[in-house]
């Protein structure tokens, strides 16, 4: 049996995390890691105590809003945002960490990643947000496109 690399290992865990997503359009998982230890996890879904899109439907879908546009009309918090917020909620520093995302981060998540001090992103898939990639490069964030399928 061949052991997975660390990136493979943590990306596979991010895929398990995304199974908790309550988004009807896209299931995303994220985990934040430093020194080969998981610090925080997140998936996309409604904030605590609010009804989930699984229960009441998707406003963006009802309005015909394309992926990557009008983030403010989404009921859910993104997986990356949830992972960052959960770390803060639990008093865990994520400075100089890596975030593993099952989808490339949007511009809103990219700004939070930069300000949180995360310095490496391992991501899969594409997201229709060119601005995100540009600001991450400008900030000097190391970005690794992960191509292995699970």
């Amino acid at each position: 049996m061949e052991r997975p690399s660390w990136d493979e290992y943590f990306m596979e865990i991010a895929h398990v995390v995304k199974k908790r997503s309550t988004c009807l359009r896209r299931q995303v998982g994220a985990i934040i890691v430093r020194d080969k230890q998981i610090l925080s996890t997140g998936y996309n879904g409604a904030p605590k105590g609010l009804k989930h899109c699984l229960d009441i439907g998707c406003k963006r879908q009802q309005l015909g809003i394309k992926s990557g546009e009008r983030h403010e009309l989404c009921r859910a918090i993104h997986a990356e945002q949830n992972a960052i917020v959960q770390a803060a909620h639990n008093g865990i520093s994520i400075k100089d960490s890596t975030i593993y995302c099952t989808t490339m981060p949007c511009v809103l998540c990219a700004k939070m990643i930069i300000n949180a001090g995360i310095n490496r992103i391992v991501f899969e898939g594409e997201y229709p947000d060119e601005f995100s990639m540009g600001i991450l490069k400008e900030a000097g964030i190391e970005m690794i496109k992960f191509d292995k399928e699970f």
Side-chain angles (χ1 to χ4, degrees):
M1 178 173 99
E2 187 177 323
R3 291 177 76 196
S5 70
W6 287 109
D7 284 347
E8 290 169 338
Y9 173 73
F10 290 123
M11 189 58 80
E12 189 167 352
I13 293 170
H15 277 274
V16 172
V17 170
K18 85 176 187 178
K19 291 179 181 182
R20 291 285 305 157
S21 171
T22 59
C23 179
L24 294 170
R25 295 176 85 175
R26 180 187 301 251
Q27 289 69 49
V28 181
I31 66 170
I32 301 174
V33 174
R34 185 177 53 238
D35 298 327
K36 300 176 185 159
Q37 297 293 309
I38 297 171
L39 304 175
S40 184
T41 67
Y43 54 86
N44 55 330
K48 288 181 183 180
L50 300 185
K51 292 181 181 176
H52 296 287
C53 298
L54 288 174
D55 302 321
I56 62 171
C58 174
K59 183 174 188 82
R60 294 171 53 82
Q61 205 166 35
Q62 293 163 0
L63 296 173
I65 298 170
K66 295 179 186 176
S67 183
E69 297 178 5
R70 305 290 312 268
H71 297 287
E72 75 278 8
L73 293 177
C74 182
R75 181 171 197 78
I77 181 169
H78 288 186
E80 301 91 332
Q81 294 167 346
N82 252 333
I84 291 167
V85 168
Q86 287 306 309
H89 179 79
N90 292 310
I92 299 169
S93 171
I94 55 176
K95 186 176 185 298
D96 299 325
S97 63
T98 297
I99 189 166
Y100 291 83
C101 310
T102 60
T103 302
M104 186 186 103
C106 73
V107 70
L108 299 176
C109 292
K111 290 186 248 183
M112 288 181 70
I113 287 167
I114 292 165
N115 277 4
I118 296 170
N119 56 18
R120 182 172 181 259
I121 301 170
V122 179
F123 68 94
E124 288 182 330
E126 300 295 329
Y127 192 76
D129 193 337
E130 292 177 27
F131 189 45
S132 173
M133 191 65 81
I135 67 167
L136 289 166
K137 286 180 183 176
E138 181 181 345
I141 306 292
E142 180 184 2
M143 292 181 296
I144 311 286
K145 176 117 169 49
F146 189 83
D147 288 321
K148 184 173 181 176
E149 289 191 30
F150 294 99

